[in-house]
Structures are given as structure tokens and as C-alpha cells.
Amino acid sequence: MAALDELREAVIDGQLAVAVEQTKRGLEEGIPAQTLFDDGLMAAMRRVGELFEEGEVFVPEMLVASRAMTAALEVLKPELVAEGASTSGRVAIGTVMGDLHDIGKNLVAMMLRGNGFEIDDLGTDVYPERFVQAIRDGAEVVAMSALLTTTMTNMRAVVEAIGEAGLREGVAVVIGGAPITQTFAEEVGADGYARDASSAVRMVEQVLGRVRATNGP
Amino acid sequence: MGPEPPQVSIDIEPVGRRVQVAVGTTILAAAQSVGVGVAAACGGAGTCGCCRVRIAGGELTAASEEERRLLGEPALAAGLRLACQAGVRTDVRIVIGPESLTATQRLQLEGLGADVSLDPPVVGFEVVLERPALEDLRADATRLLDALAATRPPVEATGRPPIGLAVLTELPAALRAQDWSGRVALHRPRGEVVAIRPPAARLLGLAVDLGTTKLAAYLVDLDTGSTVGRAGAVNPQIGRGEDVMSRIAYANTGPAARAELRAAVVEAVGRLAAELCAAGERDTDAIVDCVVVGNTAMHHLFAGLPVRQLGQAPYVAAVSDPLDLAAGDLGLSLAGGARVYLPPLIAGFVGADHVAMLLATEAAEASSTVLALDIGTNTEISLAHGGRLWSCSTASGPAFEGAHITDGMRAAPGAIERVHYGDGRFSVQTVDERPAVGVCGSGILDAVAEGLRVGIVDARGGLARSHPLVATDNGRPRCVLVGAADTGHHRDIVFTRSDVGEIQLAKGAIRAGTELLLSAAGIESVEVDEIVVAGAFGTYLDLRSAVRVGLLPDLPLERFRQVGNAAGAGARQLLLSRDRRLLAVELAGRAEYLELTTHPEFAEHFVMAMGF
Ligand code: B12
């Protein structure tokens, strides 16, 4: 389908206006919103992730692609709701207390969104209580970002706060950011870590799968 | 209590140190315990990959996840390990490569000569005292002050200057040994006697630039204004993390850690002072004044101030006004009453070193439009235009210091510092013309710039896979700068796609900061008359490369001025001129600090500036 091909291309190239236009055209042509999302936006974001991993594109290209995707998704949203679309899961994401770096976090959020996750973006300088509240509001995944050696330790406080609230069992806690390592993730008791936005999607899918499996339906 | 873990020994080459440690101790901890400096940009978290060592005998703990990722299997198989990760299991011998050894770096001590009218805060007055006698029983101090009151030109001080305990303690012996004469060092702003020196003694001042990586110290003759000695050393705190945030994180682990960082740097400054004095057969007692400049974290750690608040938003300093401290209280042994002046700072990440740099380059005094950048892991930028001054700090990261770069290293012997492409290959120049063992900031900048020029690097930072020098490693492209046959360690020296990415992040952040300052002033880059580039990397970088990659605005090269260690030069000015001290306060007071962290347009500019 031409509309889908062009939509994918527009998203990959980060052409926001074209992506929006092709989405509208697709809907007019009667393509189901879910198809436009799965085979258009999501496929495009997967490709962007691959291109990033192959070293063909870098942060700026990923960001513009994500923005085009987000704009197109806005057009689709009402239709998806009408079609009763299912989401891959609900993720609350934020940069931890004391830290205001949000470019990486936003990229991860957009990649997740582009892969069917529902995102509750808590912003930056997010206190532990706020993450806890997000779980009460329905998040299955808590994703934390930190870019500073001095703030990465605040992730531990969040994991503890979730535990104290008695909510640790049901949720997946994942972390990332430039100074974070797998070892650190294990130390603070997180369920997963990923080094970049494209591997973050795979990781969140896996971790969530595990958590759901242990909690039963 | 369980049994003590068994002890094993580690031989550290090429420095030839042996150390006994408990089984399980990491190599980094062992090396640090005997003062062998191993580069550890991340403070030993296993994220930077700087602390590479080679095992030459014995057994270490199994490679960690981080080591696998940062070194890769082939390197691990060849015996490379990360010192912060690998623990010892038996007696071992390890070799620290020159790229990881912090002690042999090139230190940058040049810098501007201070060109200011000589009016030092501390000046000397020759005095001749009347000897005490049975009919003249005035105390030594009274006698000294009476003599001081009679000098010509008169001492400008209100009332009789006080004499501190440290000077009083030395006074009786000094006066008698000097046959009741001497040279009184008077601290004019305080109106205080800080030393009593022998007649006609030279008064010396010590200017120190406390860099996160390097310390530079200058001995200045306060009577003539000339610099009589200079010396440099690696900042000994470096073993506790290479950047400011890692040091703050370390200091946050407890009061003992903060005290340790403070003691280490104070001791190093003391050693530099002693070294400088010994070279001229002088005594550190001859140093009657001292100025120390540094970024806000270095400044706080040196003064013993808390740094926790600098590591968390909104990153505020404990104090921004100038500090005037007693050298003795700080633990520096200079002349008994000597003071240490720390100039004012602008913000949590725009420190007193930046103020000193602005003084030395006169960037903020001219009527022309001047952009001044001090490029480091944090890059401070100021823009002077139309009588106003804007400053910001942008987080460029350590890429230009060689960290996070595949074959990156500091500007130590064997580091590639210049790269040129011609006749289908790269030719390189290394520090001290030694066989290449890695690439430092100016080299990686050149490599990317040359790559762009000849089409090896595209506008998005991708590498041209079709180029003969570009190979693919696990699907990721890398470009060979120097083949294994010509390197000092017989491995290829390469740059990869992710290295280009690190450069994109660093230059994007610097350029975004620059653009936001220009827009705060409401001007375009063409309106900038002069661009001052300071700092070690800023001095060695090839301007054409910096402009080609977009790190600096595309302006005619004659508008740029590379100034070396301008902060050190500013510190010397502050020893020599009371006016400069006033000006420092004035500049810091009128600088309009632009906070980028919450700036709504930062991300947009950053993303734009990352491309080529
Ligand atoms: C851009 C930047 C800024 C911008 C931030 C703008 C913004 N809105 O975010 C500005 C200039 C404002 C800034 C300010 C500061 N910064 Co800053 N900054 C950077 C810089 C250059 C790039 C960071 C970035 O955006 N990278 C691009 C994104 C896409 O990558 P990323 O964040 O790593 O995210 C990826 C992965 O980590 C991962 N990921 C991220 N989050 C998550 C979360 C999850 C759940 C998962 C799974 C994955 C994941 O996926 C992302 C996409 O692939 C880095 C240096 C560098 N080269 O990395 C310094 C850096 C992070 N900053 C640093 C510092 C110190 C600061 C300051 C404190 C001081 C200063 N002025 O320099 C301030 C204060 C910041 C604050 N208030 O929090 C230091 C930290 C050092 C340390 N050891 O802690 C760095 C490393 C630079 C340096 N000086 O060495 N900074």
C-alpha cells in the first residue's frame, strides 16, 4: 500500500508534515488505524532503531523521526481508541530527582510509544513518591533515567519507595542513562537496563513478559 | 570475625611498584593505595573504559559484563582488563599502558604573561627598628609598628595594622636575627602585617590554577611582576574520578572522603610551592600572598566547603563572593600570615577560573563583541557585547580529553594530536613524536574533520562503508587511522561511528550554548569581533577542524585567538593588582548567567548542532 510505504519513509526521514499527511490519507483510504500504526509508525520506528544500531543514524535523526511519529500518532489516537486498540503496556518514565537531563529519556519514551506502549511521562527531577503514585495510577513499568554520577544513586531510593509502598511485586523497574551499567542496575534492584533507546524497547518487552508471567493473568 | 583474607602481591609496571593487598582487591584500588595514578574518568564505576591494564602474569577475577562490553572478547583474550573491575586472585604482574597512566601527561603551563600595572595587594616596607634598651621597653610588635608608621612613603592603612599570631610567633627571633631591620609584608586590603622578611628580601606570590585534571602553579615576584617559576602536576584527586561530578559523588560518600580530596589537593599545592621555591633556592616563607582559581567544585573542595548541593539540581554554590583565607588554616605552609585569595565565581558551573580567564584575556573589558570559551569536560562560555556580559556552562563531556573514545587517551606521549588525510591515507603527528598508542582530543577532532572533508564521514556522522579504510566490526563501521604495523602497541588505531557520535554530542552541546548566548544578546555570530579559545584542548586544537565540524562558528580564522592557560594568567594578575581584584568582583557581579538546563530552546539547538 502506497500510503503505508510513504508513511514509513516520512517517519524514518523525520518529515513531520508528510508523516501527518500520509496518516490522514491512509485513514481516508480506509486503512484501519491499527494497521497504520503497526505497519506504518511502528515498523518505521523499528527501522530507525536498526539504522541507529548499524551506525547509519544518530541521536538527531532518531529525534526527528520520533517527533514525526508522535505527530502522526496524534492523528491516529482517536481512531485507535474508537477501534479499541490494545496497548503493549503502560510505562511511567521520568528522570530521577536532582537531574534535569531529558533528551535520552524523551527518546526512550518516544521509541516505546512507537512500539505500542502507553507512556506516562513524569518529566524531570522526579521524586520517588511521584513514581509510586504513577504505579497506583496504573503503570506496569517504571522507567528511570539519570545522566549524572551524583543522581544515579537516587534510583535506589525509588526502588525502595516502591517496595515500602508494597507495590514492587507487580511492576517492572527498568533504568538507563549514560553512567548506568548492568551491574549498577542489579545493585539497586532494578529488573532491567538498556544502553540505548532501541535496545530499551526489546528489554522492556522482555522484562514485562517476565513480570506478567510471574504474576499470572 | 572471620579469618583475614589472604594477601597477595601486585607488581605494577612500567612504574615498578609492588603492593601487598588482600585477595579480591581491584587493581585500581591497589594502584591508588601506592599513589600510582591510573586514569579513571568514571571514578571506578566501570563505565568509561579508561583504566585499561594488561595482565602479564598471575590470575584475576573473571571479566565483568562491563569489561566484555568496553573491551570486547579479542582484547580480553589478549590480556587487557579494566583496573577498576578486575580483582586479584594470585600474585600478579600488570602493565599500565601509557594511555591509562596519568602521571606522564603533557601539562599545559604556558599562558599569557600578565600585562597589568603593578599594584599588588601585598607590598613590602623596609623598616629599621630602634633596639630595645632598659629605657625603651616597647614590645617587639609595638616597636615594629612604630617603625612602620615612620616609613616613607607612608603606609596606607587606617590605624595601626594588626599582626596575627603566626607572625607574632616568629617576630622576636626574626628581628634579632636580622639585627632589628627587615622588610614588612603588608596586606593592604586587610591592613595586616603578613610577614617580616629579611631586609631587601624579595616578596613572592603564588598563583595556582586548580584544574580538575591538572594543577598549574606560578611563582611571581611581587616587586617586579615577573613570573620567576612555573610548575605543574596532575591533580591527585583524579584517582577518585576524572570529572567534577564523579569527585562530588565520591565526596558525598562521607566526610572522610571529602577531607581526603581536600587534603590531597592542598598537599599537592604545597608540594608545587616547595618545588618552585627550591628551584630558586628560596624558602616557602618568602611567599607572602597566594591566589587560587578553579571551577566551583575544585574551589569548594580546596576551601573545605560542602559540595553535595553542587551535584543535584539546581546546582548552587555555597558561596560566590571572593574568599580571603589564612594559608595556615588551609594547611599551606607559606609565610606565617599569608592569605589565600579565591576570586568570586559566577555560578555552580561557571567558576572562579572562568572569571580569571575573562580577566587575563580582557574579554569583557573591550568595547568590541567578544566570545570567550574555556573548553573542557564542562565548557564555560561568555559573551561580551554592548557593555553587557552573558555566561553559561555547557556539558561538553570528556570526549575532547580522549575519554569515551575507542582509542582515546590524554595528550600523553604517543597520542595522535594531528591528523591529515592525503593520497588515500591518514598521516598523523603524535605527542613527542613517539609511536602512536592512541588519539587525544585534538587528534580525534582532526580525524572527524578530515573524514568530513574527504567523504569518509557524512553529514549525519555515518562512516562511508565503501571507503577502503572503513571496515565493519560486528556490523558497526570503524575507520583505521594508523594500521597495527605502525603503532606503538601493534594494534590498529581506529575511530568508530560511536566515536563520531561522542564528538557530535560534545560539539553540539558547545555550539548550542554559544548560539543561545548569541540569541540572548540578540546578535548573529558574524557580529562577533573576536573569539577567545582557552584551555588545554582549546589551545592545541586546529581551528580549521573546529570550524569544519561546527564546534566553533564559521568566521574568518583571524578573528580567533587561542590563549593557553588563561586562568593561570588571570590568577597572576590577581596577585599583582588590586584593581584586577576589584574588576573580578565587578565582572562576576554583572555576568548574566544563562541557565541551559531549563532553557526551552536548548534541546532544539543541541539537536541541530549535532549534525555536520
Ligand atoms: C546535552 C547535555 C546537557 C544539557 C541537557 C539538556 C537536556 N534537556 O537534557 C545541558 C547543557 C542543559 C546539560 C547540563 C548539565 N550537565 Co549535561 N550533558 C549533556 C551531554 C552533552 C549529552 C547528554 C545527552 O542528551 N545525550 C544524548 C542522549 C540521547 O543520550 P543519553 O541521555 O545517554 O540517553 C540514551 C541512553 O543513555 C539511554 N537511556 C537514557 N535514559 C534511559 C532510561 C531508560 C529506562 C533506559 C532503558 C535507557 C535510557 O537511551 C538514550 C537514547 O539512546 C552529556 C555528555 C555526553 N557526551 O553524554 C552531558 C553530561 C551528562 N552532563 C553533565 C553535567 C555535569 C551537567 C551539569 C550538572 C553541569 C554542566 N553545566 O555541565 C548540568 C546540569 C544538568 C541538569 N540540570 O541536570 C556530565 C555528567 C558527568 C557525570 N559524571 O555525572 C556529562 C557527562 C558531561 C560532562 N561534563 O562530562 N547537559
Side-chain angles (χ1 to χ4, degrees):
Chain A
M1 271 177 277
L4 274 177
D5 289 340
E6 280 166 44
L7 174 56
R8 274 196 301 271
E9 215 161 288
V11 170
I12 294 169
D13 287 348
Q15 300 183 43
L16 190 143
V18 181
V20 168
E21 190 190 311
Q22 291 301 329
T23 308
K24 286 182 183 155
R25 204 184 104 200
L27 288 173
E28 276 159 25
E29 285 176 11
I31 306 175
Q34 189 68 50
T35 310
L36 284 167
F37 182 72
D38 291 345
D39 303 339
L41 304 187
M42 198 147 124
M45 289 317 284
R46 290 239 167 83
R47 182 71 197 126
V48 171
E50 283 164 21
L51 288 170
F52 176 79
E53 283 175 19
E54 290 162 13
E56 293 301 320
V57 303
F58 192 53
V59 175
E61 293 76 28
M62 281 186 97
L63 275 171
V64 289
S66 304
R67 283 182 199 161
M69 181 278 298
T70 310
L73 185 57
E74 283 306 310
V75 177
L76 282 185
K77 242 187 202 150
E79 309 297 326
L80 286 171
V81 172
E83 283 176 25
S86 63
T87 82
S88 311
R90 188 178 164 115
V91 182
I93 189 168
T95 304
V96 295
M97 185 169 85
D99 203 328
L100 303 171
H101 289 89
D102 65 357
I103 296 168
K105 180 219 62 174
N106 292 346
L107 204 48
V108 171
M110 287 191 277
M111 284 299 278
L112 286 170
R113 192 172 276 148
N115 281 274
F117 286 90
E118 199 184 327
I119 301 296
D120 181 6
D121 191 339
L122 308 179
T124 59
D125 194 12
V126 179
Y127 282 62
E129 309 81 69
R130 184 68 192 85
F131 281 108
V132 171
Q133 183 56 42
I135 300 173
R136 297 214 167 91
D137 295 342
E140 292 169 90
V141 181
V142 167
M144 291 181 262
S145 179
L147 267 281
L148 300 173
T149 322
T150 46
T151 57
M152 59 192 268
T153 45
N154 293 340
M155 291 177 160
R156 192 188 307 272
V158 176
V159 177
E160 281 165 9
I162 296 173
E164 277 160 26
L167 298 168
R168 187 67 186 85
E169 290 304 304
V171 291
V173 176
V174 299
I175 65 175
I180 310 297
T181 64
Q182 180 62 41
T183 315
F184 180 78
E186 284 159 21
E187 258 169 49
V188 300
D191 303 307
Y193 152 78
R195 35 180 323 210
D196 54 46
S198 55
S199 49
V201 175
R202 280 194 303 275
M203 181 273 291
V204 170
E205 280 165 355
Q206 275 166 18
V207 172
L208 192 57
R210 265 202 323 264
V211 170
R212 280 178 181 160
T214 47
N215 284 297
Chain B
M1 236 175 82
E4 292 279 329
Q7 295 274 313
V8 290
S9 78
I10 309 182
D11 282 336
I12 307 173
E13 303 296 353
V15 284
R17 290 295 303 259
R18 170 172 293 192
V19 49
Q20 298 288 330
V21 295
V23 163
T25 308
T26 65
I27 295 173
L28 182 67
Q32 279 169 356
S33 72
V34 289
V36 175
V38 179
C42 63
T47 57
C48 72
C50 301
C51 61
R52 277 175 227 200
V53 298
R54 194 166 53 76
I55 170 124
E59 258 182 58
L60 299 174
T61 50
S64 70
E65 184 68 30
E66 279 68 46
E67 290 182 277
R68 281 212 186 81
R69 183 167 69 76
L70 287 164
L71 297 171
E73 291 304 338
L76 283 170
L80 285 187
R81 298 296 300 268
L82 294 183
C84 70
Q85 301 287 306
V88 289
R89 295 176 59 174
T90 63
D91 288 356
V92 296
R93 203 162 78 81
I94 58 119
V95 183
I96 308 176
E99 67 272 28
S100 300
L101 197 60
T102 58
T104 54
Q105 296 155 27
R106 178 163 69 188
L107 296 167
Q108 188 228 0
L109 299 171
E110 308 82 57
L112 312 182
D115 181 23
V116 293
S117 54
L118 195 59
D119 177 37
V122 177
V123 291
F125 290 91
E126 292 291 342
V127 289
V128 179
L129 283 67
E130 286 157 34
R131 281 160 199 279
L134 281 173
E135 54 286 359
D136 179 2
L137 295 172
R138 284 172 299 163
D140 286 358
T142 312
R143 198 172 295 278
L144 178 72
L145 292 176
D146 288 345
L148 199 53
T151 57
R152 287 287 170 271
V155 175
E156 31 165 321
T158 44
R160 286 161 77 88
I163 308 178
L165 189 59
V167 179
L168 286 176
T169 314
E170 297 164 356
L171 189 62
L175 287 177
R176 284 163 182 82
Q178 291 162 200
D179 198 20
W180 302 99
S181 62
R183 193 149 190 244
V184 173
L186 185 79
H187 191 293
R188 290 186 289 172
R190 294 178 64 81
E192 186 180 280
V193 172
V194 292
I196 167 88
R197 305 284 306 149
R202 286 269 173 225
L203 299 187
L204 298 175
L206 181 72
V208 184
D209 174 23
L210 279 189
T212 311
T213 320
K214 298 160 193 173
L215 310 179
Y218 306 82
L219 199 59
V220 178
D221 184 323
L222 297 182
D223 293 305
T224 63
S226 60
T227 302
V228 296
R230 42 190 93 204
V234 170
N235 185 330
Q237 298 172 338
I238 206 155
R240 300 303 188 181
E242 208 140 314
D243 68 32
V244 159
M245 294 311 255
S246 308
R247 303 261 174 95
I248 296 175
Y250 180 70
N252 287 350
T253 61
R258 201 175 97 212
E260 173 201 323
L261 292 179
R262 194 182 99 75
V265 72
V266 168
E267 197 191 305
V269 170
R271 233 178 310 153
L272 285 174
E275 193 183 301
L276 282 167
C277 287
E281 292 181 16
R282 304 181 187 89
D283 191 83
T284 51
D285 284 356
I287 300 176
V288 296
D289 198 13
C290 179
V291 171
V292 175
V293 304
N295 62 49
T296 307
M298 289 305 111
H299 165 285
H300 279 36
L301 285 171
F302 178 79
L305 295 169
V307 289
R308 185 179 292 277
Q309 77 289 350
L310 284 176
Q312 303 269 337
Y315 318 95
V316 291
V319 59
S320 59
D321 294 329
L323 293 179
D324 169 14
L325 310 169
D329 290 351
L330 284 170
L332 277 178
S333 80
L334 309 178
R339 310 293 302 183
V340 179
Y341 176 80
L342 287 79
L345 48 95
I346 295 174
F349 283 89
V350 184
D353 52 349
H354 189 66
V355 173
M357 179 275 222
L358 292 175
L359 285 178
T361 57
E362 299 182 343
E365 294 151 61
S367 54
S368 51
T369 297
V370 183
L371 183 70
L373 302 93
D374 197 337
I375 305 177
T377 27
N378 286 311
T379 295
E380 299 87 23
I381 316 174
S382 283
L383 174 67
H385 171 74
R388 286 171 72 181
L389 178 67
W390 292 265
S391 304
C392 73
S393 155
T394 183
S396 38
F400 291 134
E401 301 194 341
H404 296 284
I405 300 293
T406 309
D407 282 320
M409 65 183 284
R410 294 184 172 282
I416 296 171
E417 54 177 346
R418 284 279 176 275
V419 176
H420 175 76
Y421 183 92
D423 298 333
R425 57 182 213 95
F426 285 105
S427 47
V428 304
Q429 176 191 321
T430 61
V431 175
D432 292 351
E433 301 185 357
R434 295 264 288 278
V437 290
V439 53
C440 68
S442 61
I444 191 76
L445 181 74
D446 278 0
V448 174
E450 286 292 277
L452 278 167
R453 184 174 66 84
V454 302
I456 294 178
V457 178
D458 69 28
R460 298 191 299 197
L463 299 186
R465 288 171 195 260
S466 56
H467 194 279
L469 290 177
V470 178
T472 332
D473 180 11
N474 271 329
R476 288 167 173 264
R478 64 209 268 281
C479 177
V480 178
L481 275 177
V482 185
D486 297 319
T487 62
H489 48 34
H490 310 299
R491 285 179 268 129
D492 283 350
I493 294 176
V494 302
F495 69 94
T496 64
R497 175 61 180 91
S498 64
D499 296 339
V500 179
E502 290 295 332
I503 298 301
Q504 287 181 275
L505 289 172
K507 69 111 182 178
I510 294 174
R511 190 60 187 272
T514 304
E515 295 300 325
L516 290 172
L517 286 182
L518 290 169
S519 81
I523 59 172
E524 301 283 330
S525 65
V526 290
E527 293 171 62
V528 177
D529 301 305
E530 187 183 34
I531 300 191
V532 176
V533 191
F537 168 72
T539 304
Y540 289 114
L541 66 75
D542 184 332
L543 285 173
R544 277 161 312 182
S545 294
V547 168
R548 176 164 282 129
V549 306
L551 166 66
L552 297 172
D554 189 1
L555 291 172
L557 291 186
E558 60 277 8
R559 292 201 204 169
F560 292 86
R561 181 155 64 107
Q562 291 170 283
V563 297
N565 185 358
R572 279 179 280 164
Q573 294 191 352
L574 291 165
L575 278 177
L576 295 174
S577 157
R578 288 186 291 182
D579 270 355
R580 298 314 266 178
R581 290 197 185 181
L582 294 178
L583 187 65
V585 174
E586 193 255 316
L587 285 184
R590 80 181 157 90
E592 299 172 47
Y593 175 65
L594 192 69
E595 176 59 64
L596 299 185
T597 48
T598 48
H599 199 294
E601 283 159 43
F602 180 84
E604 207 51 51
H605 280 275
F606 180 51
V607 166
M608 293 253 297
M610 261 191 271
F612 292 112

